[in-house]
C-alpha cells in the first residue's frame, strides 16, 4: 500500500483555474490522474455525481441505454438535480414529457423490447414527476 500524497488544495485550485489538464496536474504533483480526480473532489472542485436511479429505476440493456426515452429521463433528472444542460436537450425532454403527461401516459421498460408508453397510474407518473421536479429546479 502506497503512501497518501499530499496535494495542496489551494495550489490545485490555482493550477486548475489556469486550465491545466488532469494529466498536467498529475505530473506536477507526482500522482496519478485518479489521484488528481480524488483531490479535486476533496477540494470541492468537481461537480457532484448525479444519481439517475429514481428517473431510470430499471437495469437497462446496453442497447437501450442511449435510446430517446433513456436520454430524456436522464436529462430531466439532471435538471431536477440542479445541473444545467443544453437548451435544445432540455426542450426535447420537456416536450416529450408534456406529450406523455397530457395524453395520460407514462413510460415503462422491458429488457427484451425496450421502453414502452403505458397508461399513467392513478397515483402519478414517473415522467410527470420528473418533469415537475425539473421545472421546479429551473424556477430557482
Amino acid at each position: 500500500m502506497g503512501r497518501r500524497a499530499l496535494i495542496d488544495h489551494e495550489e490545485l485550485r490555482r493550477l486548475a483555474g489556469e486550465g491545466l489538464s488532469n494529466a498536467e496536474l498529475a505530473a506536477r504533483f507526482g500522482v496519478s490522474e485518479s489521484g488528481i480526480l480524488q483531490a479535486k473532489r476533496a477540494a470541492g472542485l468537481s461537480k457532484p455525481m448525479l444519481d439517475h436511479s429514481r428517473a431510470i429505476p430499471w437495469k437497462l440493456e446496453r442497447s437501450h441505454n442511449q435510446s430517446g426515452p433513456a436520454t430524456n429521463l436522464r436529462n430531466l433528472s439532471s435538471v431536477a438535480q440542479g445541473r444545467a444542460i443544453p437548451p435544445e436537450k432540455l426542450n426535447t425532454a420537456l416536450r416529450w414529457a408534456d406529450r406523455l403527461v397530457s395524453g395520460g401516459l407514462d413510460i415503462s421498460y422491458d429488457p427484451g423490447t425496450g421502453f414502452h408508453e403505458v397508461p399513467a397510474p392513478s397515483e402519478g407518473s414517473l415522467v410527470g414527476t420528473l418533469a415537475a421536479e425539473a421545472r421546479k429546479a429551473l424556477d430557482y
Side-chain angles (χ1 to χ4, degrees), residues 75-76 78-87 90-91 93-94 130-140:
N75 284 337
L76 291 171
S78 293
V79 172
Q81 293 179 63
R83 182 78 45 95
I85 65 170
L90 176 60
N91 289 337
L94 287 172
L130 277 174
E133 290 174 2
R135 283 192 167 93
K136 183 176 179 182
L138 288 170
D139 288 341
Y140 289 116

Side-chain angles (χ1 to χ4, degrees), residues 107-129:
I107 200 77
S108 184
Y109 178 75
D110 176 81
T113 56
F115 287 95
H116 302 282
E117 295 177 6
V118 296
S122 58
E123 65 271 7
S125 73
L126 170 69
V127 172
T129 300

Side-chain angles (χ1 to χ4, degrees), residues 36-55:
I36 290 298
L37 293 173
Q38 290 175 23
K40 280 183 165 182
R41 274 193 297 278
L45 296 175
S46 61
K47 295 178 182 174
M49 294 288 291
L50 296 177
D51 179 5
H52 299 305
S53 61
R54 282 186 50 243

Side-chain angles (χ1 to χ4, degrees), residues 2-136:
R3 69 172 179 84
R4 187 173 183 154
L6 296 178
I7 296 177
D8 182 291
H9 288 181
E10 290 305 315
E11 181 73 357
L12 179 62
R13 277 188 188 87
R14 186 181 69 72
L15 293 171
E18 290 177 7
L20 270 68
S21 70
N22 288 341
E24 292 168 325
L25 292 168
R28 177 82 173 243
F29 287 104
V31 299
S32 66
E33 287 186 54
S34 175
I36 290 298
L37 293 173
Q38 290 175 23
K40 280 183 165 182
R41 274 193 297 278
L45 296 175
S46 61
K47 295 178 182 174
M49 294 288 291
L50 296 177
D51 179 5
H52 299 305
S53 61
R54 282 186 50 243
I56 304 177
W58 313 278
K59 173 76 172 127
L60 299 185
E61 292 293 322
R62 177 168 279 170
S63 61
H64 301 141
N65 209 27
Q66 297 302 317
S67 67
T71 299
N72 287 330
L73 290 169
R74 274 193 301 277
N75 284 337
L76 291 171
S77 175
S78 293
V79 172
Q81 293 179 63
R83 182 78 45 95
I85 65 170
E88 62 276 5
K89 291 183 178 187
L90 176 60
N91 289 337
T92 297
L94 287 172
R95 280 195 327 269
W96 172 77
D98 289 345
R99 179 183 63 78
L100 290 177
V101 170
S102 68
L105 299 171
D106 200 5
I107 200 77
S108 184
Y109 178 75
D110 176 81
T113 56
F115 287 95
H116 302 282
E117 295 177 6
V118 296
S122 58
E123 65 271 7
S125 73
L126 170 69
V127 172
T129 300
L130 277 174
E133 290 174 2
R135 283 192 167 93
K136 183 176 179 182

